[in-house]
Amino acid sequence: MFDLIIRNANLPDGRKSIDIGIKAGRIAAVERSIAAQAGEEIDASGRLVSPPFVDPHFHLDATLSLGKPRMNVSGTLLEGIALWGELRPIVTREELVERALRYCDLAVTQGLLHIRTHVDTSDPRLVTVEAMIEVREKVAPYIDLQLVAFPQDGYYRAEAGIEALGRALDMGVDVVGGIPHFERTMGEGTASVEALCRIAADRGLPVDMHCDETDDPLSRHIETLAAQTIRFGLEGRVAGSHLTSMHSMDNYYVSKLIPLMAEAKINVIANPLINIMLQGRHDTYPKRRGMTRVRELMEAGLNVAFGHDCVMDPWYSMGSGDMLEVGHMALHVAQMAGIEDKNRIFEALTVNSAKTMGLEGYGMAAGCHADLVVLQAADVQEALRLKPNRLVVLRRGKIIARTAPRIGELFLEGRPATIDGGRDFVPAV
Ligand SMILES: [Zn+2]
């Protein structure tokens, strides 16, 4: 009756010792104990089984390019943009595809099966767009890749910005991007938000803008983005990425802004690793954290997701494709360490990100795609603490990656283990 059963799974919602029956690539049953047998069974033995991680904000065209053509000496956002501007004219389609595929392989082992990537449309060759469309097709059996037309150098500011973005959308890019705070003036930033929302409405596409990625408390493009979202009837289809200026805004202004964002059903995407690395750079002490107001936005009912943003590129020399590393940083920066806080952080890495990307059939309920991850952790709390190995990754009911358990965690779990090399492990007393 089932093709595969995962037994004795703990679920992200707290249910324990659950069996998950899978048939024809979908979840067919989620029950305390499934009596039927299946051709293949996986014993989760009391470990967490989750839907896959979802990264709603990444830069796949720049990833793994660290050191090309040189390192970012200051480590700032602006030097990163300048450095990418040096690499972009000389990068080849083959190189872009090769790096992106390597990252996608890594992502699969981390249980990360859905990625929305911004694709720079500033170079009129659009070799980045050609390459990422090729990658989207190549990885489709195992990763859902969404592409955002991203005018990195400004929609109005870049010489061919308007024309190139339109051409990228004609080529089949999925989402309209933007970067209003990087336009020449506040006024041009505001105009770009209106123009890009109009394009999205005309073409029936979602919107995801890098918005107010600055420490300037007067960078208020998110207000315009929310207002234009309502004006063009795009509610629920628009994401504001970063929104770091909200960290520094006047509290009274924010008390008016957040309800407007809620009315527009804006999807909020914070990028905790990058925000804590790049924001507050002009501060001496005290230094601002720069991440947007995650707790307050969640409490106001907004859909808040977290992105990885960068891995080993001109902006960030770190990163591992592990969304739990993103969640780990998020809960520190947002100071959300309570049990319910951690559950909400985990939701931001999974269901909230899936909602932002508009994914169909995502989740743990019967009828959802059988895309699942068995983690070497008992629950969400431990997963965020340990960033454990993803022991089994399933896509449409088929195993696509396996990773051996980590030996240190086996000891923590109280399971039998030996250390390679033959020495008996004796705890120090
Ligand atoms: Zn970004």
Side-chain angles (χ1 to χ4, degrees), residues 104-404:
C104 288
D105 288 345
L106 169 67
V108 168
T109 69
Q110 303 281 32
L112 169 54
L113 303 187
H114 309 275
I115 301 173
R116 173 182 279 183
T117 181
H118 294 257
V119 184
D120 189 356
T121 58
S122 303
D123 181 341
R125 291 185 304 152
L126 291 182
V127 62
T128 46
V129 176
E130 286 175 5
M132 291 309 121
I133 286 173
E134 182 181 338
V135 171
R136 183 176 63 185
E137 283 165 22
K138 283 200 162 122
V139 303
Y142 54 101
I143 287 180
D144 293 314
L145 190 60
Q146 267 183 14
L147 309 181
V148 185
F150 174 46
Q152 169 81 73
D153 292 357
Y155 183 61
Y156 292 126
R157 191 170 177 172
E159 204 178 310
I162 297 171
E163 184 269 333
L165 184 130
R167 208 149 35 90
L169 295 175
D170 290 342
M171 288 164 72
V173 170
D174 309 289
V175 182
V176 179
I179 186 163
H181 58 276
F182 197 70
E183 303 293 346
R184 285 194 179 87
T185 64
M186 286 284 186
E188 288 194 352
T190 303
S192 78
V193 172
E194 182 188 349
L196 291 161
C197 285
R198 185 185 297 277
I199 289 169
D202 288 348
R203 291 180 181 249
L205 296 176
V207 174
D208 189 338
M209 291 192 193
H210 285 66
C211 192
D212 302 324
E213 190 185 2
T214 155
D215 296 314
D216 175 3
L218 296 178
S219 187
R220 295 176 169 186
H221 296 296
I222 179 56
E223 181 184 67
T224 307
L225 183 60
Q228 296 296 344
T229 296
I230 295 164
R231 178 181 169 206
F232 286 108
L234 296 169
E235 290 95 336
R237 286 163 47 195
V238 174
S241 280
H242 289 292
L243 307 181
T244 55
S245 71
M246 286 186 73
H247 184 95
S248 300
M249 281 176 183
D250 172 72
N251 287 331
Y252 188 87
Y253 174 72
V254 171
S255 75
K256 175 169 178 272
L257 174 64
I258 289 182
L260 176 67
M261 292 168 67
E263 184 189 348
K265 298 188 174 65
I266 296 287
N267 295 294
V268 172
I269 303 172
N271 297 296
L273 295 166
I274 302 309
N275 299 155
I276 202 69
M277 181 63 91
L278 296 182
Q279 300 312 130
R281 285 297 184 118
H282 293 195
D283 294 356
T284 54
Y285 290 93
K287 269 185 192 292
R288 286 167 289 176
R289 295 167 191 227
M291 190 169 75
T292 195
R293 304 187 184 206
V294 168
R295 183 192 291 280
E296 292 75 8
L297 288 160
M298 284 178 169
E299 282 172 359
L302 281 116
N303 185 51
V304 180
F306 298 138
H308 202 318
D309 203 353
C310 303
V311 171
M312 295 184 70
D313 68 12
W315 298 274
Y316 191 59
S317 61
M318 307 282 287
S320 59
D322 184 359
M323 293 307 292
L324 286 172
E325 187 176 326
V326 174
H328 191 268
M329 179 61 80
L331 77 87
H332 283 84
V333 178
Q335 299 177 326
M336 290 177 63
I339 287 178
E340 200 41 49
D341 287 341
K342 286 182 189 158
N343 289 335
R344 288 156 83 195
I345 296 275
F346 196 83
E347 285 169 5
L349 306 169
T350 51
V351 288
N352 297 4
S353 293
K355 188 176 174 193
T356 299
M357 284 181 64
L359 298 179
E360 172 271 327
Y362 179 90
M364 297 290 301
C368 291
H369 291 300
D371 300 350
L372 295 164
V373 184
V374 183
L375 294 103
Q376 192 191 357
D379 54 29
V380 163
Q381 316 288 316
E382 252 192 27
L384 283 164
R385 184 171 69 88
L386 296 170
K387 294 163 269 157
N389 281 1
R390 319 304 125 98
L391 304 180
V392 183
V393 180
L394 291 120
R395 168 85 166 176
R396 306 295 192 257
K398 300 263 183 299
I399 296 172
I400 58 168
R402 280 184 188 275
T403 302

